[in-house]
Amino acid sequence: MEVLDFIQAVLFSLGVLLFAMSAGFAVSLLTVKYDEVDDIAESRIESGFFSGACLIGSGFIAYLLM
């Protein structure tokens, strides 16, 4: 039982981390400026992709913990 609690705690912390990373990538997607990067479109596509991937990962972990 203690091992299962430990596994659930690790999965929960990974889910929270992925959700926070998703929010961070979404904020960087919205606040990137033209003078900070070479190609603004490429930066926004990468941030959107990573935000979506982190959100899907955290959703999958939340589904596993239910």
Side-chain angles (χ1 to χ4, degrees), residues 8-32:
Q8 286 181 343
V10 168
L11 283 176
F12 179 77
S13 61
L14 282 175
V16 170
L17 176 69
L18 283 174
F19 187 76
M21 285 176 56
S22 172
F25 281 125
V27 167
S28 70
L29 172 101
L30 296 173
T31 60
V32 68

Side-chain angles (χ1 to χ4, degrees), residues 45-57:
I45 289 170
E46 287 176 355
S47 294
F49 177 77
F50 289 135
S51 177
C54 290
L55 195 60
I56 289 171

Side-chain angles (χ1 to χ4, degrees), residues 35-48:
D35 56 346
E36 294 175 351
V37 293
D38 293 333
D39 189 11
I40 192 84
E42 180 182 352
S43 175
R44 287 190 174 175
I45 289 170
E46 287 176 355
S47 294

